[in-house]
Amino acid sequence: MKIGKSSGMAKVVVLVLLVSLSARRLESAFDPRDVLPLLPRQVSWSILNRLHSAVDLLPVFVGAASSSDDNLQWKAACFYQNKAWMLFHNNSHTPYGGGTLHLKVSNAHSWSCMDLYIFATPYRVTWDYYLLAREHTLEIKAWEGKAEYEYVKNHGLSIFLLQAGMLGTLQALWEIFPLFTNTGWGENSNIDFLEKHMGASFKVRPQPWVTSVSADDIHSGDFLAVSKIRGRWGAFETLEKWVSGAYAGHTAVCLRDSDGKLWVGESGHENEKGEEIVALIPWEEWWDFELNKDDSNPHIALLPLHPDLRARFNETAAWEYALSMAGKPYGYHNMIFSWIDTLNGNYPPPLDANVVACVMTIWSQIQPEYAANMWNEALNKRLGTEGLDLPEVLVEVEKRGSSFDELLTIPEQDDWVYSDGKSTSCVSFILEMYKEAGLFDPFASSVQVTEFTIKDAYVLNFFENNASRLPKWCNDGDTVKLPYCQIKGKYLMELPGYNTMQPYPRMNEKCPSLPPKYFRPQNC
């Protein structure tokens, strides 16, 4: 056997492990999974791929440590017995002092594993890992003023476990990284993720995978469902589909002007500056881009309106609304709130409101302007306040005797105006247009379409239900005849529940959406 650099590195790793073993009590057996990286890469990754997934990147909330509660205990990925408590002190001689988190770990499942943790308050985020079975400490020299001191004193310091451990987290990163790559590898990774976590199926259609569309058969109000499966947008759509249950990740709508010219209205169109805006684009330009320039491999279906709805569709009102929104930013303010409707029925495990708060805290520290755009204004709207940052929002919620998870479930209101105007995601832009055009009557005043996900839109019974009335070119050559027109894509675009839901007052405001079945109770 030749001894090379890789063998030398393996010796170093083994030496480190031996040192750690000598310091750890012999309390459990060696687990070969913990040293899989010492194996050849093609062997180790193939094993890890069966043990962990990209979902394992999500931290799990295990509890909040405070001085009044030293009974916080949990089982972790490596150490099966853990407890934590907080002791306050004033070693820094500051007005509110600091604190020491004590975390005692024991009963490891092997001699060679470790646990990774994230520790957070609304004002700070830090992390640490534990390899030795003993009592560890995390020192916080000084609290960020009275607000953080009071928050930790009353609610504790939040502890999140990276449940896959060190190697599982590395492997999960390996699984999620290709989702964002604009390659065949990335496309297959997105498909595998959706098959694994949603139960989606990707059936190959007969070629050609592009339909010879006649624009003359497309009418105002016809809905375009788009599913991107590679590159940056493909990855974001994959994660959006997983949490919401939608089998499409983007939408657009067709409009004819008074001269009969066909346009596409789209929230999320990228302009010359790289900004995502609401735009009105000539059909020929939009279709040419999707055919020849969009490298995300978009799959597109045209969902024609039902003739009765088409007769009710007020084109004048629709155009007035579309023109009033043209050029405004994409609806980042309310993007996540259309998905969260319940306290615990919308979070795919291990997600929960604590994890959402942790992620928001991290982003607020890394990119405060991004955080303000994504959720701070929307949270203030729900509180009836202005200008509060995330820590101040959390403190205000507690003052009112509520909780952050309850705050997230407050329905978005269509008439809320943000600092950059009304905010609409791709689908809420279309449904607000439908609302203005009269399609939600007589329930329009009691329906908040900014609460709708893409799935909530395509399950509305607004669309054609008679296959004989679909255009002649619709599904031409397909062996599976869909009830709508797939006009682009290698794989069959299935939309479970399509065209089945009658509108009702306060629609989609309190509905669960848990994978893989995404079951909705009768009143949803």
Side-chain angles (χ1 to χ4, degrees):
M1 178 184 298
K2 292 183 179 180
I3 305 292
K5 289 184 179 179
S6 60
S7 177
M9 180 60 70
K11 287 182 177 180
V12 173
V13 174
V14 171
L15 180 61
V16 172
L17 288 174
L18 288 174
V19 172
S20 68
L21 297 182
S22 65
R24 178 176 289 179
R25 293 180 305 181
L26 303 181
E27 55 187 352
S28 55
F30 169 78
D31 191 329
R33 292 177 299 177
D34 298 318
V35 289
L36 282 175
L38 302 182
L39 300 175
R41 180 183 173 281
Q42 58 266 42
V43 176
S44 62
W45 283 118
S46 65
I47 295 173
L48 277 167
N49 273 326
R50 300 182 182 182
L51 299 176
H52 301 289
S53 71
V55 176
D56 293 326
L57 281 174
L58 298 171
V60 176
F61 178 68
V62 299
S66 67
S67 59
S68 60
D69 180 12
D70 60 359
N71 294 316
L72 176 59
Q73 301 183 38
W74 68 93
K75 179 180 178 180
C78 173
F79 294 97
Y80 287 172
Q81 292 182 354
N82 306 273
K83 60 185 301 185
W85 63 98
M86 173 67 71
L87 292 180
F88 291 84
H89 60 67
N90 197 0
N91 298 337
S92 60
H93 304 292
T94 54
Y96 300 99
T100 303
L101 174 70
H102 293 258
L103 201 153
K104 186 175 182 179
V105 304
S106 60
N107 193 18
H109 79 78
S110 81
W111 297 340
S112 50
C113 64
M114 67 176 68
D115 280 328
L116 287 169
Y117 286 96
I118 295 172
F119 306 99
T121 76
Y123 302 81
R124 73 179 71 228
V125 176
T126 187
W127 68 281
D128 208 345
Y129 65 92
Y130 302 120
L131 184 67
L132 304 178
R134 62 178 177 83
E135 185 178 311
H136 301 267
T137 59
L138 178 72
E139 191 67 31
I140 298 174
K141 293 181 180 180
W143 303 113
E144 295 287 338
K146 181 180 179 180
E148 185 179 26
Y149 168 72
E150 293 289 347
Y151 186 91
V152 178
K153 186 177 180 181
N154 294 327
H155 306 289
L157 187 146
S158 297
I159 303 174
F160 299 86
L161 168 71
L162 291 173
Q163 59 181 349
M166 176 70 81
L167 299 180
T169 300
L170 292 175
Q171 191 279 327
L173 283 168
W174 179 256
E175 179 177 310
I176 204 168
F177 169 74
L179 297 180
F180 291 86
T181 63
N182 202 347
T183 62
W185 176 39
E187 182 172 308
N188 290 333
S189 297
N190 279 284
I191 290 172
D192 291 344
F193 185 98
L194 294 171
E195 288 178 336
K196 180 177 181 180
H197 297 292
M198 286 185 68
S201 60
F202 288 82
K203 301 173 184 175
V204 178
R205 302 168 64 214
Q207 294 195 52
W209 297 326
V210 176
T211 300
S212 297
V213 178
S214 173
D216 293 339
D217 296 318
I218 301 176
H219 305 277
S220 286
D222 288 353
F223 189 101
L224 291 159
V226 184
S227 178
K228 303 182 180 187
I229 57 175
R230 67 189 296 171
R232 175 176 54 124
W233 287 114
F236 284 128
E237 286 191 15
T238 288
L239 299 175
E240 177 189 2
K241 292 168 188 173
W242 172 56
V243 299
S244 69
Y247 277 60
H250 183 55
T251 58
V253 66
C254 300
L255 273 178
R256 286 198 181 275
D257 62 21
S258 57
D259 296 325
K261 181 179 176 63
L262 184 63
W263 296 75
V264 174
E266 181 179 36
S267 179
H269 177 77
E270 188 172 314
N271 65 13
E272 295 82 2
K273 298 179 182 179
E275 301 165 331
E276 302 294 325
I277 62 168
V278 179
L280 294 166
I281 313 150
W283 164 263
E284 295 82 5
E285 181 182 327
W286 186 87
W287 184 229
D288 177 69
F289 177 83
E290 298 303 334
L291 287 180
N292 302 309
K293 301 173 186 175
D294 191 340
D295 57 7
S296 65
N297 193 3
H299 286 52
I300 304 172
L302 176 76
L303 284 49
L305 279 183
H306 190 279
D308 293 345
L309 273 294
R310 186 177 300 139
R312 286 169 48 189
F313 189 85
N314 186 330
E315 278 188 340
T316 301
W319 270 106
E320 287 178 359
Y321 170 75
L323 291 171
S324 74
M325 294 296 295
K328 285 186 167 54
Y330 174 80
Y332 290 108
H333 296 292
N334 52 37
M335 185 173 64
I336 68 171
F337 296 99
S338 63
W339 150 54
I340 302 174
D341 294 335
T342 65
L343 293 177
N344 51 29
N346 300 109
Y347 301 102
L351 271 178
D352 62 12
N354 291 292
V355 175
V356 171
C358 177
V359 172
M360 286 182 175
T361 300
I362 293 171
W363 274 109
S364 295
Q365 293 192 21
I366 297 173
Q367 288 187 305
E369 292 182 3
Y370 175 90
N373 191 37
M374 282 289 287
W375 48 72
N376 282 4
E377 278 199 69
L379 294 173
N380 274 271
K381 291 286 187 186
R382 284 158 173 78
L383 286 171
T385 55
E386 290 185 10
L388 300 184
D389 61 16
L390 182 62
E392 291 168 334
V393 164
L394 295 176
V395 170
E396 181 65 24
V397 169
E398 298 295 339
K399 283 182 180 177
R400 299 186 184 189
S402 185
S403 64
F404 185 65
D405 49 357
E406 290 177 327
L407 183 66
L408 293 176
T409 66
I410 295 175
E412 183 81 8
Q413 301 297 301
D414 294 347
D415 60 358
W416 281 348
V417 179
Y418 291 88
S419 58
D420 50 8
K422 285 193 173 182
S423 188
T424 57
S425 64
C426 63
V427 70
S428 60
F429 167 71
I430 298 170
L431 296 180
E432 186 68 33
M433 181 188 295
Y434 282 2
K435 193 174 176 181
E436 294 293 324
L439 300 194
F440 279 97
D441 292 343
F443 305 115
S445 63
S446 60
V447 172
Q448 306 299 327
V449 297
T450 41
E451 279 291 300
F452 284 51
T453 65
I454 291 175
K455 179 181 180 179
D456 297 332
Y458 66 65
V459 300
L460 285 167
N461 66 344
F462 283 3
F463 306 106
E464 181 61 81
N465 58 4
N466 186 339
S468 67
R469 290 198 294 252
L470 293 172
K472 291 182 179 179
W473 45 261
C474 182
N475 301 320
D476 186 32
D478 277 323
T479 54
V480 177
K481 300 299 181 183
L482 296 169
Y484 39 85
C485 308
Q486 183 165 349
I487 57 179
K488 188 180 185 300
K490 175 181 178 180
Y491 302 101
L492 195 69
M493 282 186 70
E494 297 177 292
L495 303 175
Y498 170 73
N499 208 24
T500 58
M501 185 73 66
Q502 180 74 23
Y504 59 89
R506 308 190 70 82
M507 189 174 187
N508 297 315
E509 292 186 7
K510 298 294 178 184
C511 296
S513 59
L514 289 177
K517 298 297 183 181
Y518 301 97
F519 170 76
R520 294 170 66 111
Q522 194 168 13
N523 61 346
C524 277

